[in-house]
Amino acid sequence: MEVHSLRPPFLLYLYIVLFLIQIQLSSSSSSSSIMRVLPLKTEAIPSGSLFSRLPNKLHFHHNVTLTVSLSVGSPPQNVTMVLDTGSELSWLRCKTTLLSQPVFYPNRSSSYAPISCSSPTCVNRTRDFSIPASCDSNNLCHAVLSYADSSSSEGNLASDTFNIGGSDVPGTIFGCMDLGFSSNSEEDAKTTGLMGMNRGSLSLVSQMGFRKFSYCISGYNFSGVLLLGDSNFTWIAPLNYTPLIQISTPLPYFDRVAYTVQLEGIKVSDKLLQLPKSVFEPDHTGAGQTMVDSGTQFTFLLGPAYTALRNEFLNQTTRVLRVLEDPNFVFQGAMDLCYRVPSGQTSLPQLPTVSLMFRGAEMTVSGERLLYRVPGETRGKDSVHCFTFGNSDLLAIEAYVIGHHHQQDVWMEFDLEKSRIGLAQVRCDLAGQRFGLYN
């Protein structure tokens, strides 16, 4: 499920430098035998950059995006792609309406090859697309990505050489897209496309043969680390694993190539919300799955679970926080629990923790990750802070989505071989130091 930003108040980018460290784990030359260790850092991007206006499958925003710097083509062209565990098809912008937008030029690459609509790739490997691939007038494989806000992007499938971490991966399949957007801003978008990393056959992690990847986003200084490949690093922390949920029968509202886990309960401090298990289970249409998605900032819960969490968090913060009494203000269309905090106040009061209880693992959100200060929003001398859990029902989506804001300082391991996700609470900046990425 592609999840991107839609006109956020500002944008922070976590830049992944992909040429630093390669560790050979065995004598095999396959990409799955190599672990690549990659650092993360942040850069502030002004609002109005083009990427904040790319199509959205879900109607919500996010302000932090994981981005990957690499090169594509022969000779290589530098590109920056958003790392999205909720998307299958990687794509690059090949045409643009603004000179300031970064673009990949296929006519400058001798290794670029368009894919015909009769090829096995087009016929067999696009079945998980929301809209089936088709033939264009040149008999090329044409893909259309459709989004819930009625926007779309489209272009032709092609292959070219991707260079990631100093290693060439020839014949990598991606979309060469003509987005056709106009913009009121001349700010450089600084992103050329999107890197799909879900479980689909055309995702980059599938094409490269990596059976495991991990990332860790620091909540202290926004540094972090990304690992591509397998490694035994038990010194980080013992990982608790939750199995990935898979179904064999296609259902209309179930994304079969998403990283779907089973949410079993929610706690506020030590109080377990009294919700039936059926609230967290997909129904006969597939609606109600729980997806772990790096393409979304915040976490969104279906109505009954969100209402119960909202009410309990409100009840436990009544004496320490002042509620924003403004029924007309709903942050990003889905977050209707907000508070007024004196602008001169340097820290938030002690807040109750919120724990998401998965089958076999638990993710606990605490402190400042529970409230988000809304940029530019004030009431008198108070700033506005909103609860970082939103209501999926207000977005007209039929799923739980675990965003990366709540994955800060959590080691996230995506184990495709054993079909599971591992979690552990860690200091991501310290983990980066252990890998030699920071002083």
Side-chain angles (χ1 to χ4, degrees):
M1 178 175 289
E2 296 86 355
V3 185
H4 316 303
S5 62
L6 176 61
R7 299 175 179 85
F10 65 89
L11 207 57
L12 293 176
Y13 285 94
L14 295 176
Y15 276 91
I16 304 175
V17 182
L18 283 175
F19 52 85
L20 291 183
I21 302 177
Q22 294 186 27
I23 302 177
Q24 182 71 41
L25 297 181
S26 71
S27 59
S28 171
S29 61
S30 67
S31 62
S32 60
S33 68
I34 299 173
M35 180 182 70
R36 296 185 177 92
V37 187
L38 315 167
L40 303 170
K41 62 179 180 179
T42 60
E43 181 174 334
I45 301 296
S47 62
S49 64
L50 177 76
F51 191 76
S52 67
R53 287 179 296 282
L54 292 182
N56 296 264
K57 194 164 187 178
L58 307 181
H59 287 280
F60 52 81
H61 312 250
H62 61 90
N63 300 321
V64 180
T65 305
L66 301 174
T67 64
V68 182
S69 298
L70 63 153
S71 63
V72 178
S74 305
Q77 300 177 43
N78 294 328
V79 299
T80 301
M81 305 177 73
V82 174
L83 181 72
D84 190 354
T85 60
S87 297
E88 175 173 4
L89 181 66
S90 300
W91 54 262
L92 295 171
R93 183 191 299 113
C94 293
K95 294 183 181 179
T96 181
T97 57
L98 291 179
L99 295 177
S100 60
Q101 297 171 7
V103 176
F104 172 73
Y105 298 95
N107 58 343
R108 298 180 184 177
S109 173
S110 61
S111 52
Y112 175 88
I115 293 174
S116 71
C117 60
S118 60
S119 70
T121 294
C122 190
V123 174
N124 300 322
R125 300 180 70 182
T126 61
R127 292 175 177 174
D128 288 314
F129 290 6
S130 57
I131 298 176
S134 61
C135 284
D136 71 359
S137 58
N138 295 316
N139 198 37
L140 298 179
C141 188
H142 192 73
V144 177
L145 304 181
S146 180
Y147 302 86
D149 63 358
S150 299
S151 64
S152 63
S153 62
E154 59 183 290
N156 292 334
L157 294 192
S159 67
D160 209 331
T161 298
F162 277 52
N163 184 287
I164 299 179
S167 298
D168 284 338
V169 186
T172 301
I173 299 165
F174 67 103
C176 197
M177 312 301 271
D178 178 9
L179 298 178
F181 282 99
S182 61
S183 171
N184 295 322
S185 170
E186 294 299 322
E187 294 290 344
D188 188 356
K190 298 189 181 299
T191 55
T192 322
L194 179 141
M195 180 180 289
M197 293 286 283
N198 70 10
R199 293 191 288 171
S201 65
L202 287 180
S203 74
L204 200 71
V205 66
S206 296
Q207 291 191 60
M208 292 185 64
F210 286 114
R211 302 307 299 161
K212 185 183 292 185
F213 69 94
S214 311
Y215 59 74
C216 196
I217 309 167
S218 175
Y220 294 90
N221 56 10
F222 294 101
S223 64
V225 61
L226 168 72
L227 300 182
L228 295 174
D230 197 2
S231 176
N232 293 320
F233 36 83
T234 54
W235 52 265
I236 294 178
L239 295 175
N240 293 315
Y241 289 96
T242 184
L244 291 170
I245 305 301
Q246 302 183 76
I247 63 169
S248 57
T249 304
L251 296 176
Y253 294 106
F254 192 96
D255 186 345
R256 292 192 296 167
V257 292
Y259 294 105
T260 300
V261 295
Q262 184 59 61
L263 183 62
E264 294 189 329
I266 302 173
K267 291 190 301 185
V268 182
S269 293
D270 293 325
K271 184 173 182 179
L272 180 66
L273 300 182
Q274 296 303 304
L275 291 165
K277 288 187 176 180
S278 59
V279 168
F280 303 111
E281 297 174 350
D283 63 18
H284 66 283
T285 70
Q289 72 185 115
T290 300
M291 298 177 287
V292 179
D293 198 329
S294 70
T296 308
Q297 182 175 12
F298 300 115
T299 294
F300 298 88
L301 309 175
L302 289 174
Y306 171 76
T307 300
L309 173 59
R310 181 191 189 280
N311 291 343
E312 184 58 35
F313 189 83
L314 180 62
N315 179 59
Q316 293 193 28
T317 56
T318 298
R319 297 183 179 180
V320 296
L321 289 173
R322 179 185 176 188
V323 176
L324 174 67
E325 302 290 349
D326 186 352
N328 296 319
F329 182 77
V330 179
F331 180 49
Q332 297 188 358
M335 298 146 130
D336 60 1
L337 177 57
C338 299
Y339 298 90
R340 296 178 63 160
V341 177
S343 297
Q345 186 170 318
T346 57
S347 62
L348 295 172
Q350 185 75 26
L351 298 175
T353 60
V354 174
S355 297
L356 302 175
M357 303 168 65
F358 304 105
R359 184 176 298 166
E362 189 170 308
M363 179 183 292
T364 299
V365 184
S366 62
E368 294 184 352
R369 294 183 190 84
L370 289 163
L371 296 181
Y372 178 80
R373 180 173 180 174
V374 182
E377 198 71 35
T378 59
R379 297 294 187 276
K381 295 183 179 180
D382 298 334
S383 57
V384 175
H385 294 242
C386 292
F387 192 39
T388 53
F389 291 82
N391 188 346
S392 294
D393 290 1
L394 295 178
L395 304 171
I397 62 173
E398 299 291 338
Y400 297 86
V401 183
I402 311 300
H404 59 69
H405 180 80
H406 293 153
Q407 298 173 37
Q408 291 181 30
D409 281 326
V410 178
W411 190 270
M412 301 292 300
E413 178 185 275
F414 294 78
D415 187 343
L416 284 74
E417 185 172 9
K418 295 184 178 180
S419 190
R420 61 185 185 174
I421 292 180
L423 299 85
Q425 300 286 151
V426 298
R427 278 278 303 273
C428 293
D429 56 338
L430 297 181
Q433 291 177 13
R434 288 295 299 269
F435 280 109
L437 300 181
Y438 311 107
N439 296 325

